């Protein structure tokens, strides 16, 4: 049994122009201790899918169908009171933008110790303080700085504080939503190294959301690529983002175009190639493949028939009519 099993999840946002179907039938599983990356353009449903797991969606969003099973329990069936037993203690979140997520008038030490005290009644204040100091040291911040305020830290250090907070109650799954966006390249590398070492040390499973494919390729065991609320391709990182004899191994045209839109420092220098057009308006009914208007290898049926996710091997899946002939449907 997987630690997390998201099945056929659908999430919609209510708006004045009608419902926006941001996540439309997405499935994803994560094993204990596994590092899974979630990629795709802005607005493809990555964050909505991830925030549906701990039920931290905005007020105008609702899960319309599907299930989110964590360690055998269907979280989507739980009410707000029951969900509190899972947030922080089982599943925690590293939000993007640490400056906005931290309380500017509270010391970082008290912000890390607070969830420990609130969510674990067996822990004394002294024990919570000890754990807070241990976490600060684990993320590379000297514990003597526990009494400092967020504005006294750099952006990278604040992100480390956010990671320490996420680990405060020893969760089994951490959802990291663009944890390195807006940081310089050196700090990005340090934060990624930190997440990997903490994952190994605490046997954490991690869902890492990023639009930066190089970060996901470098850090994740498995990756999933979303497009317009659907899963386009998922598989081991080396199968989805790797190359063989100079050819990319990605099988979905969208993943292939995403990879061409990123510079590769291991290859000769070429102009990066953007993807013309923009994703579809998800408040309108969708027909056929959602990538069809931007796909330069589209087939006749692509405009009318939505492709199913098919198995390319036992761990690599993609949803594209080009693959129908040599694969078997899985959904
Ligand atoms: Fe392109 Fe058709 Fe494949 Fe969609 S199903 S990615 S339009 S070839």
């Amino acid at each position: 049994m997987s630690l997390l099993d998201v099945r056929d999840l659908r999430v919609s946002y209510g708006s004045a122009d009608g419902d926006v179907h941001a996540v439309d039938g997405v499935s994803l599983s994560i094993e204990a201790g596994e590092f899974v990356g979630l990629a795709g353009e802005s607005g493809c449903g990555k964050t909505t899918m991830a925030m549906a797991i701990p039920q931290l969606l905005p007020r105008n969003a609702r899960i319309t169908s599907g299930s989110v099973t964590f360690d055998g329990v269907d979280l989507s069936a739980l009410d707000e009171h029951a969900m509190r037993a899972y947030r922080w203690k089982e599943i925690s979140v590293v939000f993007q933008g640490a400056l906005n997520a931290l309380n500017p008038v509270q010391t970082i030490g008290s912000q890390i110790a607070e969830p420990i005290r609130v969510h674990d009644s067996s822990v004394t204040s002294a024990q919570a303080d000890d754990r807070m100091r241990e976490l600060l040291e684990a993320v590379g911040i000297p514990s003597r700085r526990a009494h400092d305020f967020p504005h006294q830290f750099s952006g990278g250090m604040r992100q480390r504080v956010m990671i320490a907070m996420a680990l405060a109650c020893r969760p089994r799954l951490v959802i990291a939503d663009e944890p390195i966006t807006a940081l310089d390249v050196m700090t990005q590398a340090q934060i990624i190294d930190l997440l990997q070492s903490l994952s190994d040390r605490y046997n954490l499973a991690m869902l890492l959301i990023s639009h930066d494919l190089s970060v996901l390729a470098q850090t994740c065991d498995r990756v999933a690529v979303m497009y317009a609320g659907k899963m386009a391709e998922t598989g081991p990182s080396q199968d989805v983002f790797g190359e063989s004899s100079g050819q990319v191994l990605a099988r979905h045209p969208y993943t292939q175009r995403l990879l061409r839109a990123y510079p590769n420092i291991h290859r000769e220098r070429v102009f990066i190639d953007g993807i013309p057009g923009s994703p579809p308006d998800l408040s309108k009914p969708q027909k056929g493949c959602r990538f069809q208007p931007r796909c330069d290898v589209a087939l006749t049926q692509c405009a009318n028939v939505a492709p199913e996710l098919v198995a390319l091997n036992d761990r690599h899946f993609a949803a594209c009519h080009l693959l129908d002939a040599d694969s078997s449907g899985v959904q």
Side-chain angles (χ1 to χ4, degrees), residues 28 30 35-42 44-54 93-96 174-181 192 195 206-213 215-216 219-220 224 226:
L28 181 74
I30 301 180
F35 228 95
V36 175
L38 195 52
E41 286 166 278
S42 296
C44 69
K46 307 187 294 292
T47 297
T48 300
M49 201 279 271
M51 293 306 139
I53 296 167
V93 180
V94 179
F95 292 100
Q96 49 180 303
V174 172
I175 298 168
D177 187 4
E178 302 277 7
I180 56 170
T181 300
I192 289 300
L195 287 173
M206 190 153 321
L207 179 60
L208 177 60
I209 304 170
S210 179
H211 62 272
D212 190 331
L213 304 190
V215 166
L216 298 182
T219 55
C220 296
M226 287 182 69

Side-chain angles (χ1 to χ4, degrees), residues 251-254 288-303 305-307 319-324:
R251 300 294 301 278
H252 195 286
Y254 176 60
C289 173
R290 295 173 181 200
F291 189 56
Q292 185 268 341
R294 305 171 77 188
C295 182
D296 49 14
V297 291
L299 305 171
T300 315
Q301 70 262 39
C302 297
V305 183
C320 172
H321 289 308
L322 290 172
L323 308 171
D324 288 348

Side-chain angles (χ1 to χ4, degrees), residues 9 14 25 38-39 72 77 94 108 118 135 139-140 190 196 203 209 245 261 263 277-278 296 318 320 324:
L9 185 72
L38 195 52
V94 179
I108 60 156
V118 169
L135 284 165
V139 299
Q190 290 169 4
Q196 277 185 313
N203 194 32
I209 304 170
S245 306
S278 50
D296 49 14
C320 172
D324 288 348

Side-chain angles (χ1 to χ4, degrees), residues 10-14 19-23 48 57-58 60-64:
R10 289 180 164 78
V11 183
S12 296
Y13 289 91
D19 284 356
V20 176
H21 307 290
V23 173
T48 300
L57 292 165
N60 65 334
R62 68 182 197 284
I63 295 174
T64 56

Side-chain angles (χ1 to χ4, degrees), residues 131-255:
R131 199 191 296 175
M132 173 271 290
R133 288 175 193 284
E134 178 195 321
L135 284 165
L136 278 177
E137 296 286 346
V139 299
I141 297 176
S143 54
R144 60 183 153 74
R145 298 203 61 187
H147 300 294
D148 288 349
F149 291 87
H151 73 270
Q152 294 172 281
F153 293 87
S154 66
M157 295 286 263
R158 284 195 293 263
Q159 202 60 40
R160 288 169 187 262
V161 173
M162 292 295 296
I163 293 167
M165 280 178 70
L167 301 182
C169 297
R170 299 183 176 144
R172 284 188 284 170
L173 171 67
V174 172
I175 298 168
D177 187 4
E178 302 277 7
I180 56 170
T181 300
L183 300 178
D184 64 79
V185 176
M186 292 300 293
T187 311
Q188 285 186 1
Q190 290 169 4
I191 296 291
I192 289 300
D193 283 349
L194 173 65
L195 287 173
Q196 277 185 313
S197 68
L198 292 172
S199 173
D200 293 342
R201 181 168 166 181
Y202 297 113
N203 194 32
L204 283 174
M206 190 153 321
L207 179 60
L208 177 60
I209 304 170
S210 179
H211 62 272
D212 190 331
L213 304 190
S214 55
V215 166
L216 298 182
Q218 180 193 339
T219 55
C220 296
D221 305 307
R222 212 150 45 83
V223 291
V225 180
M226 287 182 69
Y227 182 77
K230 290 275 195 190
M231 194 62 80
E233 185 162 6
T234 177
S237 296
Q238 65 269 25
D239 287 5
V240 178
F241 292 156
E243 291 185 6
S244 176
S245 306
Q247 300 293 314
V248 297
L249 295 175
R251 300 294 301 278
H252 195 286
Y254 176 60
T255 314

